[in-house]
Amino acid sequence: MAGDGERNLRIAVLGAGANGGGIGADLARAGVDVTLIEQWPAHVEAIRRDGLRVVMPDRETVTRIPVLHLCEVATLREPFDIVFMLMKAYDAGWAARLIEPHLAHDGLLIGVQNGMTAGTIADVVGVGRTLGCVIEVSSELEVPGVVMRHTPAERSWFALGSLAPGGHPRLAEAAAVLGQAGTVALVDDILSAKWMKLVSNCTTLVSTAALGLPMMAALDTPGMRDVMVRAGNEALEVGSRDGRTILPIFGLSDDDIARVDSLVEVLLDALYRGFVLPSTTTTVLHDWRKGRRSEAEQLNGFVARRGVELGVATPANDALVEVARRIERGELAPQPGNAELLMALAAR
């Protein structure tokens, strides 16, 4: 894909796991000059050997695409014009420092991540080389080289925006590239949009994962919808106290979000209606099943810590963080019985 006149853009996807792999495959199949950079050696080798296989509800693709191990980044000679970072939120700082020497002087590093990572990235590469992004894509990666993508491009959604007032001259260009992988909305206040996604994440990710269930089954567990909505409302209140603006995400309209008292339930229902299949599980549960720590501290934990600073009580988020920590210490397993524990802790 050409940009800036006749210049062909060099694109990287830093973090080619479930979401990054699927997005990278979409870009490659659209003719974009894209390179994957990934930290799981077996996944890299499988892509090199067999191509990247993406399995979707109605079709399957296999894409030959250049891929590098993290340790091979130091061998790069030509800079990238745009890097889409799809690492965990807690990896944003070191990953930005890793790729910064290989980002063009007028390039863009875009954190396609959960959590409030845009400022962390800007601290490394500068506000002028940073765009904020909201992602709503559902994928899984269990077998090296094989992405199970529940939301193909026609059902995937992103928002892009500049951190600087007045926008960014390359915003439309970046949106055109990312638009090969889903619908892209351009927003003036990307930090508020990212907070809205944080509200949604605080509602669903840890809460459903703690039960060890698919998202739909977890929502139907007695008492859990109330815990989830309470966590989302707390996150909304913390954001409001922090100066964030309520914005529509997931393709909702201003009318959809007009009533603040029901906003979290509107977001929850929109997420489940548009992006959740009966078998869909969250990234937090994927991590726990693989024995890895999750982003709970960057999601519900972030809200709880900011709530303390701003004087906003966050008992539901506190409960979710406490259970997540117990699971990650090996004291609990993700299981349906945790619903009663979460309800008891949130009621304190």
Side-chain angles (χ1 to χ4, degrees), residues 118-143:
T120 301
I121 294 169
D123 287 343
V124 176
V125 303
V127 170
R129 294 201 292 173
T130 304
L131 291 182
C133 183
V134 179
I135 175 175
E136 191 52 53
V137 176
S138 176
S139 306
E140 297 179 43
L141 175 63
E142 298 288 344
V143 178

Side-chain angles (χ1 to χ4, degrees), residues 179-256:
Q180 303 299 325
T183 299
V184 179
L186 300 183
V187 298
D188 294 329
D189 185 355
I190 190 61
L191 294 181
S192 288
K194 285 187 70 65
W195 193 279
M196 294 301 297
K197 177 62 188 302
L198 182 65
V199 169
S200 177
N201 285 342
C202 286
T203 304
T204 59
L205 295 191
V206 175
S207 55
T208 61
L211 274 56
L213 295 173
M215 293 177 69
M216 283 191 176
L219 183 65
D220 290 337
T221 300
M224 280 306 297
R225 184 181 180 97
D226 179 64
V227 172
M228 294 164 71
V229 171
R230 286 178 61 192
N233 278 324
E234 291 170 6
L236 192 67
E237 174 61 23
V238 171
S240 176
R241 192 76 63 89
D242 210 16
R244 304 301 175 203
T245 301
I246 293 174
L247 296 176
I249 58 174
F250 305 152
L252 295 173
S253 68
D254 289 332
D255 289 341
D256 292 325

